[in-house]
Amino acid sequence: METQQHHEQSEAGDVAADRVRIFDTTLRDGEQTPGFSMDRRAKLRMAQMLEALGVDVLEAGFPQASPDDFAAVAEIAGMLRDTTACALARCVPGDIDSAGRALEQARRSRIHVFLSTSPLHREHKLGMSKAQVLDAAVAAVERARGLCHEVEFSAEDSMRTEPEFLVEVFSAAIAAGATTVNAPDTVGYMTPAEIAERFAYLRANVKGAERVVFSSHCHNDLGMAVANSLAAVGAGARQVECTINGIGERAGNASLEEIVMALKVRGAYFGTDTRIDTRKLYPASRLLTELTGQSVQRNKAIVGDNAFAHESGIHQHGMLKHRDTYEIMRPEDVGIAETKLVLGKHSGRAALRKRLEALGHAPDDAALDDVFARFKALADKKREIHDDDLDALARGRDPDAAGPWRLTRLDTSAHLGAGASASVKLRHEDGREVAEAALGDGPVDAVLRAIERATGTGLQLSRFQIQAVGEGGDAQGEARLAARHAGRDWNGHGVSTDIVEAAAQAALAIVNRIEQHAPAAQPAASPSPRTAKTKTLGASR
Ligand code: KIV
Ligand code: ZN
C-alpha cells in the first residue's frame, strides 16, 4: 500500500492541476434509495461502466450495512484499476474496520468517514456535545488512515452547522490525517450564493486547507443540487460528489452528467474541467435505467429523450441552417447518436423534406405538398410521427391501416420462478392461420417470441414501455415498443386492459409495418438472436 505521505503529495499535486475530481456515489447514496436497489451483479456492471466513464473515486457502498453490501464493495474494489475504490463508514470502529477489510484488494482505497456536526443532529440524532463530536471525528480518521490509502471526512448536515465549529472539526480531521474534507448539503437547503460563501470561508479559515481537497455533496430537495455544486466549484471545491441520473436520497443527489457537461461547456467560465469521457455519459445513464428499471424524465438535461430533440418548425428551421442556433453542445459529445428532429404537429416542411430524403425519398414540390397535408392530418391524431409512418405516407399508404396480421387468440401463463409461456393464434389477410407457442423470461417476453416465431419476423427490441392510460384499477395499459429490423427502427403501440395483450398488439403493429413496407422480404426474414433461443411448446401451423 502507498504511504499516507506519498498520497498527500499526490493530492497536493492534483490540486495544482486544478482539475475537479468526480466522486461518484451512484452505488451508495443512489442505490440506498427506494426503487434503485441493485443486486451484486448489477452493481459490478455499473462499476465497470463508471470506471470506463473516468470517475476519479467510486463510492461502492456501506460495507457494515449488510454482508451483501460488504461483498459488493469487496468485489468492486478488486476489479477497479484506475479509479479509487471508496467505502462509507460511520465514525465507529466496527464500521471503519469493516470498510478497511472490504477495500483490502483495491489498488487505491479510500475510507469515507462521516459524522453529523449540526446542532439539530448533535442534539436530536446523536445526543453528543461539540467536544464529543470533535473527539469522535479525530479518532475515526486516525483509525481509518491505517487501513487504506486515503481518508475522506464528511461533516453530515454541514451546511446547517455553525461555520466556526465546522472550521474546528475540519481542522482537527486534517490534523488527524484526512486528505479530503467534504461539506455536504445533506438536506438540500442551501442556495448557490450561500454555498459559495461557505466554501470560501472554510478554505480561508480551516487549518491545513492548502493540503487537502475540499468536496461538495449536494442534495436536490429544492432543485438546486447541481447549481450548488457548481457554486462550490466556483469557490474552490475540487471534488464533487454526484450520481448518474441524479439518483439519491429523497429528491436525489447532484446529477453527474449535468455537472460534468456544465464544466465542459462553460469551461472558460469555470476555468476547470474533469477527466470524464463525456461520450460515455448517455450509455452510463441508459445502463442505470436498465439495471434499476427506473427511466429518467423525457426533458432531463443531457440524457433525457428530449435533450437533443427539436419539434417546433421555427427551431427545426434554425437547426437545419446552423446547429448552434438551438444547441449548446453536440449530442455525440454525450454519447447520443444524433440530434432528433422530432416530427409532430409543430414541424414544418423543411424538416419533413429532410427526413424524407434521409429515408430515401425524393419528393418534388407537388409531392411534398401532398405528403405534408397528410402528415399534418396524421400529426393531429398521433403524438409523434416515426420514420415508418413517414415511409408509409410517402408511399401513399395510411400508416394506421391495420393488418395484414391480426391476433385471434392469446394465452399466457406465468410460472413462479421459472419464466412464462405464451401461445398465440394469428390470421393473415391472405387466409393463413398460424399458431405458435414459446417460453420467455416473463409473459410479455414469451408473447413476443411466439409472435416472432409465428410471423417469421425477428425483432430486436430496443425499447419497451408500459403505462396506464387513465386512472383506477380498470385503467387501460398502453404498450410502446421500438425494435430494430433489417437495419431500421420500427415502432408500434397497443392498448388493452390486459398489458400482455397491449404488448402483443404493439409487437404485431411492428410486424405489420415491416411486412407492409417490404412484403417480399418476409419469408427471408432472418431470425433474431431472441428467436434462435426460443423453445417451442407444441407449435402447430
Ligand atoms: O448527504 C450526506 O450528508 C451524506 C453523507 C454520508 C456524506 O450522504
Ligand atoms: Zn448524501
Side-chain angles (χ1 to χ4, degrees):
M1 189 192 292
E2 281 173 65
T3 63
Q4 178 82 11
Q5 191 190 8
H6 172 97
H7 174 70
E8 279 169 8
Q9 280 161 1
S10 79
E11 281 289 307
D14 283 350
V15 175
D18 213 31
R19 176 173 58 77
V20 173
R21 292 150 191 79
I22 295 297
F23 175 114
D24 179 273
T25 184
T26 305
L27 296 178
R28 199 279 297 170
D29 217 329
E31 200 268 346
Q32 75 190 31
T33 58
F36 291 95
S37 72
M38 285 174 248
D39 62 21
R40 216 183 320 158
R41 220 165 48 112
K43 285 185 188 171
L44 207 67
R45 275 186 71 194
M46 198 62 216
Q48 280 162 342
M49 172 57 93
L50 290 168
E51 173 151 66
L53 185 65
V55 305
D56 298 279
V57 185
L58 192 161
E59 187 164 53
F62 183 9
Q64 186 72 349
S66 73
D68 241 31
D69 258 44
F70 181 96
V73 174
E75 208 170 336
I76 291 169
M79 189 255 321
L80 295 177
R81 290 284 159 265
D82 300 324
T83 304
T84 299
C86 176
L88 185 70
R90 290 168 297 183
C91 286
V92 293
D95 277 25
I96 297 168
D97 296 350
S98 191
R101 280 197 310 278
L103 293 172
E104 263 163 16
Q105 299 305 317
R107 285 197 171 188
R108 241 184 129 71
S109 56
R110 176 184 295 194
I111 296 180
H112 175 191
V113 288
F114 74 100
L115 184 61
S116 290
T117 50
S118 68
L120 261 171
H121 283 221
R122 288 195 313 261
E123 187 183 337
H124 300 291
K125 182 178 123 176
L126 302 174
M128 283 167 89
S129 66
K130 281 184 177 174
Q132 286 171 320
V133 167
L134 263 173
D135 288 349
V138 168
V141 172
E142 282 174 349
R143 190 177 189 100
R145 58 179 290 201
L147 301 173
C148 60
H149 295 107
E150 48 194 73
V151 179
E152 171 169 336
F153 174 77
S154 278
E156 193 184 2
D157 204 19
S158 72
M159 292 297 150
R160 293 190 298 172
T161 298
E162 306 89 330
E164 308 73 27
F165 181 54
L166 198 54
V167 165
E168 244 186 288
V169 178
F170 279 163
S171 302
I174 293 168
T179 49
T180 300
V181 286
N182 182 37
D185 183 14
T186 304
V187 290
Y189 181 73
M190 297 296 266
T191 65
E194 288 170 313
I195 287 253
E197 195 184 299
R198 186 64 53 88
F199 271 82
Y201 172 80
L202 290 172
R203 288 185 65 231
N205 291 288
V206 166
K207 285 197 199 68
E210 67 292 345
R211 296 204 307 274
V212 299
V213 173
F214 278 80
S215 169
S216 125
H217 174 118
C218 297
H219 280 269
N220 203 31
D221 299 66
L222 293 174
M224 290 190 277
V226 169
N228 283 340
S229 306
L230 293 170
V233 169
R238 283 298 174 265
Q239 174 177 285
V240 175
E241 305 196 355
C242 44
T243 58
I244 299 291
N245 294 344
I247 70 171
E249 281 289 348
R250 306 179 308 280
N253 286 63
S255 141
L256 182 150
E257 56 279 3
E258 293 176 24
I259 289 171
V260 166
M261 287 314 289
L263 291 174
K264 187 180 169 86
V265 173
R266 300 303 311 277
Y269 174 79
F270 287 104
T272 180
D273 203 351
T274 69
R275 68 174 192 102
I276 294 293
D277 177 354
T278 62
R279 288 161 311 164
K280 300 217 166 68
L281 287 172
Y282 183 66
S285 164
R286 295 291 303 184
L287 179 64
L288 183 64
T289 295
E290 180 195 321
L291 296 175
T292 60
Q294 306 286 349
S295 48
V296 298
Q297 81 226 37
R298 261 193 102 112
N299 62 331
K300 163 92 176 62
I302 317 295
V303 294
D305 276 358
N306 283 1
F308 295 93
H310 308 263
E311 182 179 327
S312 92
I314 294 168
H315 287 210
Q316 289 183 345
H317 190 67
M319 284 290 296
L320 291 172
K321 295 232 148 136
H322 198 301
R323 288 172 77 170
D324 290 356
T325 51
Y326 289 102
E327 269 184 5
I328 57 165
M329 55 197 150
R330 300 279 178 258
E332 47 275 27
D333 292 344
V334 303
I336 294 177
E338 58 181 12
T339 297
K340 265 203 291 179
L341 294 189
V342 176
L343 292 173
K345 64 179 176 183
H346 306 293
S347 304
R349 304 168 110 74
L352 178 64
R353 182 191 286 280
K354 173 121 175 135
R355 196 67 211 141
L356 287 173
E357 284 170 359
L359 292 171
H361 303 283
D364 57 22
D365 287 350
L368 185 68
D369 282 350
D370 172 54
V371 177
F372 189 65
R374 289 186 296 121
F375 159 75
K376 284 282 177 178
L378 185 64
D380 271 340
K381 287 193 276 168
K382 296 184 70 168
R383 274 187 284 167
E384 238 177 66
I385 310 284
H386 298 286
D387 285 354
D388 35 353
D389 295 312
L390 291 179
D391 224 27
L393 286 174
R395 287 164 195 269
R397 281 200 303 263
D398 174 1
D400 277 350
W405 291 101
R406 278 179 195 284
L407 185 67
T408 57
R409 188 175 170 148
L410 169 64
D411 294 298
T412 55
S413 48
H415 315 290
L416 192 64
S421 56
S423 60
V424 296
K425 208 176 210 183
L426 305 179
R427 181 174 297 133
H428 195 275
E429 65 188 17
D430 66 8
R432 272 180 292 155
E433 277 226 319
V434 186
E436 278 289 355
L439 298 174
D441 296 337
V444 170
D445 187 44
V447 164
L448 298 189
R449 287 168 187 242
I451 289 177
E452 283 184 314
R453 189 165 274 267
T455 60
T457 305
L459 300 175
Q460 260 183 298
L461 273 198
S462 51
R463 176 166 298 201
F464 175 38
Q465 276 181 329
I466 289 201
Q467 67 186 58
V469 185
E471 288 179 7
D474 59 353
Q476 299 224 92
E478 178 183 43
R480 291 185 172 274
L481 260 61
R484 259 193 107 65
H485 175 88
R488 274 193 53 178
D489 294 318
W490 304 84
N491 294 274
H493 109 283
V495 179
S496 166
T497 44
D498 174 347
I499 52 166
V500 180
E501 187 186 325
Q505 297 290 9
L508 215 51
I510 292 180
V511 170
N512 281 334
R513 284 169 167 225
I514 292 171
E515 191 163 330
Q516 283 166 8
H517 181 76
Q522 275 309 289
S526 57
S528 71
R530 293 163 51 91
T531 311
K533 279 201 288 172
T534 303
K535 288 186 207 149
T536 303
L537 298 175
S540 61
R541 261 175 213 266

